[in-house]
């Protein structure tokens, strides 16, 4: 059997190109307050929030407020990518935060419209996509497309910067508290994404990270020997960045070997039959499928780079090893002690331990989340919280309904289709927003 491994040059793509943009109203106010009421509040302006707000626009639901800690569509998502120096996405051209069932300009259409700005390699990848083969999407193209989507669906002007602290559902409305302001809405959609998974307390006794240790989304100092702990795509980027800077790297992964694959989850789960495989079984079987298929993996393009670095001695890999303890000694040297008893000393250690989905706990009252095994209790048809039917979820939190692909951008599209249609139908049946304003005394 012959296995084709894509070449590492596919990981490279220019960043920061000037793209033509649709005229759009400015972001709704980093300094102003949003309206006190709205038909819908969307919490989070990442790819999921962008998809939901765009879908609601197509459904005719235009009275929407988007609250985001950064205040710009997909801003935090792109900042995280740029911190890693990532230049291409793992998701192919078919996976993008657009809206299914409408004649929108899709990601591949957008790229073709700007053909002259693309490199020969990027043009080849588009041809590969059109022929039905796997392709990679430049981050630069993706960012420009998100800006186009936000402008064409009036998302930018509906987005306010605010740290949402509390979501309190009542019988007829939901109140969203975000620092200095409050918005009351008929419906709320939580598009919360994922947060980094913290290290176990046992590694250094809990509390803040000791000197010389950082997480993947924090700055990494230059120079010296580096340890990377983690087995996924983020770890691969950290390793290649350090190798490119001439650093010696020690890589700790608990699996017996690296796991290379194209997408972040098995591609069968992106298709209807794959989702049917998931939703036709009970809770315990779903948990088993999640544990089996929602595992850390690396894009194939990294394989030649990492294997060559290991052969050259620039990369030392500790396979099948788990961390027992991390400590910073005199002089700032970081020592990682493995469960096997081996010790690794370096100038800095970076932790890439994966992410955990934000399921609404901490915002919604715990009894309304209905948490079970780390997942919320959601209606499978509408994705509303079973105990808070005016609050919906889109994104990674829906994985126990939609399967492992829920965390992927294409999974956001599937979730958006269900949630937006249900919300739009409910809005049409309910009283006009004027009555809501009167009810809250505005």
């Amino acid at each position: 059997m012959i296995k084709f491994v894509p070449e590492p040059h596919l990981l490279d793509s220019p960043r920061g190109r000037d793209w033509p943009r649709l005229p759009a109203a400015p972001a709704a106010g980093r300094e102003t307050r949003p309206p006190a009421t709205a038909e819908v509040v969307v919490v989070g302006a990442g790819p999921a929030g962008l998809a939901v707000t765009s879908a609601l626009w197509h459904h005719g639901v235009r009275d929407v407020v988007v609250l985001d800690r950064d205040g710009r569509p997909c801003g935090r998502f792109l900042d995280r990518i740029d911190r890693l120096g990532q230049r291409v996405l793992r998701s192919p051209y078919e996976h993008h935060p657009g809206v299914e069932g409408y004649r929108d300009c899709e990601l591949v259409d957008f790229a073709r419209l700007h053909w002259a700005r693309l490199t020969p390699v990027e043009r080849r990848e588009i041809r590969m996509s059109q022929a039905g083969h796997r392709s990679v999407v430049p981050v630069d193209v993706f960012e420009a497309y998100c800006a186009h989507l936000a402008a064409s669906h009036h998302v930018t002007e509906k987005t306010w910067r605010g740290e949402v602290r509390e979501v309190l559902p009542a019988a007829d409305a939901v109140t969203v508290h975000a620092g200095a302001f409050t918005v009351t809405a008929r419906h709320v959609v939580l598009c919360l994404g994922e947060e980094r998974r913290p290290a176990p307390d046992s590694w250094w006794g809990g509390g803040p990270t000791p000197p010389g240790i950082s997480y993947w989304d924090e700055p990494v100092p230059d120079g010296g020997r580096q340890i990377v702990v983690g087995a996924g795509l983020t770890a691969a980027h950290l390793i290649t960045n350090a190798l490119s800077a001439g650093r010696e790297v020690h890589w700790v992964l608990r699996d017996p070997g690296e796991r290379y694959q194209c997408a972040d989850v098995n591609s069968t789960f992106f298709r209807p039959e794959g989702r049917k495989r998931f939703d036709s079984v009970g809770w315990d079987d779903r948990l088993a499928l999640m544990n089996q298929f929602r595992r850390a993996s690396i894009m194939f393009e990294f394989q030649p780079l990492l294997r060559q670095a290991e052969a050259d001695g620039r990369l030392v890999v500790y396979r099948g090893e788990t961390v027992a303890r991390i400590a910073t000694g005199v002089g700032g040297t970081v020592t990682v002690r493995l469960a096997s008893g081996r010790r690794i000393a370096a100038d800095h250690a970076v932790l890439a331990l994966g992410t955990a989905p934000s399921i609404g706990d901490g915002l919604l009252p715990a009894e309304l989340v209905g948490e079970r095994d780390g997942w919320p209790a959601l209606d499978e048809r509408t994705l509303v919280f079973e105990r808070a039917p005016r609050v919906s979820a889109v994104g990674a939190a829906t994985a126990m309904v939609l399967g492992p692909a829920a965390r992927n951008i294409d999974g956001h599209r599937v979730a958006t289709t269900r949630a937006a249609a249900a919300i739009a139908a409910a809005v049409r049946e309910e009283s006009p927003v004027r009555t809501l304003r009167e009810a809250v005394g505005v």
Side-chain angles (χ1 to χ4, degrees):
M1 178 179 176
I2 298 175
K3 180 183 290 186
F4 171 72
V5 178
E7 297 179 11
H9 73 267
L10 295 179
L11 297 168
D12 295 326
S13 186
R15 192 77 174 94
R17 282 169 281 190
D18 183 29
W19 301 90
R21 296 177 182 261
L22 289 176
R30 298 183 174 235
E31 308 302 331
T32 62
R33 291 171 177 263
T37 62
E39 290 284 9
V40 182
V41 168
V42 177
V43 181
L50 179 58
V52 168
T53 311
S54 300
L56 290 172
W57 185 88
H58 279 290
H59 280 289
V61 181
R62 310 290 170 85
D63 184 16
V64 178
V65 167
V66 183
L67 299 177
D68 182 78
R69 72 181 74 176
D70 180 79
R72 57 194 175 105
C74 295
R76 186 163 176 254
F77 175 82
L78 291 162
D79 286 347
R80 283 177 159 186
I81 283 176
D82 283 336
R83 182 171 293 282
L84 291 171
Q86 185 174 342
R87 293 294 177 259
V88 298
L89 294 180
R90 190 172 202 163
S91 297
Y93 272 99
E94 308 92 82
H95 297 182
H96 58 87
V99 182
E100 291 186 338
Y102 296 92
R103 293 187 179 275
D104 272 346
C105 172
E106 298 198 347
L107 181 56
V108 70
D109 303 322
F110 180 86
R112 292 175 63 205
L113 283 170
H114 300 94
W115 191 260
R117 285 176 165 77
L118 305 179
T119 68
V121 171
E122 292 169 342
R123 295 174 185 175
R124 175 181 173 272
E125 288 299 292
I126 290 176
R127 294 189 184 101
M128 293 282 284
S129 173
Q130 290 178 302
H133 300 298
R134 175 185 178 270
S135 61
V136 297
V137 177
V139 170
D140 220 43
V141 173
F142 182 81
E143 180 180 25
Y145 174 75
C146 288
H148 166 85
L149 197 66
S152 59
H153 295 78
H154 305 276
V155 179
T156 306
E157 62 209 64
K158 299 173 182 175
T159 302
W160 277 264
R161 182 167 59 189
E163 185 79 31
V164 174
R165 306 292 175 80
E166 195 174 35
V167 177
L168 296 177
D172 299 323
V174 185
T175 302
V176 180
H177 296 288
F181 54 80
T182 296
V183 184
T184 301
R186 293 287 189 193
H187 302 272
V188 170
V189 189
L190 302 184
C191 303
L192 304 178
E194 304 184 54
E195 298 296 332
R196 72 185 185 201
R197 196 178 296 278
D201 289 347
S202 60
W203 284 13
W204 56 77
T209 54
I213 303 169
S214 63
Y215 286 97
W216 60 269
D217 54 352
E218 297 173 329
V220 178
D222 295 329
R225 178 186 293 184
Q226 181 172 302
I227 300 169
V228 175
V229 182
L233 183 59
T234 297
H237 278 291
L238 292 168
I239 292 166
T240 53
N241 291 343
L243 291 171
S244 297
R247 306 179 74 165
E248 178 184 326
V249 183
H250 292 250
W251 183 16
V252 180
L253 64 158
R254 62 184 178 185
D255 289 337
E258 304 91 316
R259 189 165 176 258
Y260 294 97
Q261 64 182 41
C262 297
D264 51 354
V265 296
N266 189 293
S267 61
T268 60
F269 288 103
F270 295 121
R271 296 192 287 270
E273 61 269 25
R275 293 195 293 273
K276 184 66 176 176
R277 172 188 177 189
F278 190 81
D279 64 23
S280 63
V281 299
W283 185 268
D284 290 340
D285 288 332
R286 293 186 188 194
L287 280 177
L289 286 170
M290 289 293 291
N291 290 333
Q292 180 180 357
F293 290 105
R294 196 178 181 272
R295 295 165 52 203
S297 63
I298 302 169
M299 291 173 65
F300 274 115
E301 286 84 352
F302 281 93
Q303 190 176 56
L305 289 172
L306 298 179
R307 289 189 173 175
Q308 186 61 55
E310 186 177 10
D312 295 341
R314 296 178 293 127
L315 173 65
V316 181
V317 185
Y318 302 80
R319 298 177 176 88
E321 294 274 15
T322 57
V323 174
R325 191 81 178 171
I326 303 179
T328 304
V330 179
T333 299
V334 176
T335 301
V336 173
R337 179 166 61 83
L338 304 177
S340 64
R342 302 171 76 179
R343 295 176 182 268
I344 314 167
D347 299 283
H348 195 83
V350 189
L351 311 180
L353 308 178
T355 55
S358 299
I359 63 171
D361 52 339
L363 298 183
L364 283 168
E367 66 272 15
L368 299 185
V369 175
E371 184 271 338
R372 180 182 178 188
D373 297 318
W375 301 100
L378 301 175
D379 179 89
E380 303 215 351
R381 183 178 61 86
T382 62
L383 300 181
V384 300
F385 284 78
E386 291 180 350
R387 303 177 188 179
R390 289 188 177 273
V391 182
S392 309
V394 170
T398 67
M400 285 300 282
V401 175
L402 299 177
R407 70 184 307 196
N408 181 276
I409 293 172
D410 192 60
H412 299 351
R413 286 162 61 91
V414 176
T416 291
T417 300
R418 296 189 190 186
I423 291 169
V427 167
R428 286 192 293 268
E429 293 173 1
E430 292 169 344
S431 302
V433 72
R434 176 178 55 80
T435 305
L436 176 60
R437 293 191 178 112
E438 290 174 352
V440 297
V442 176

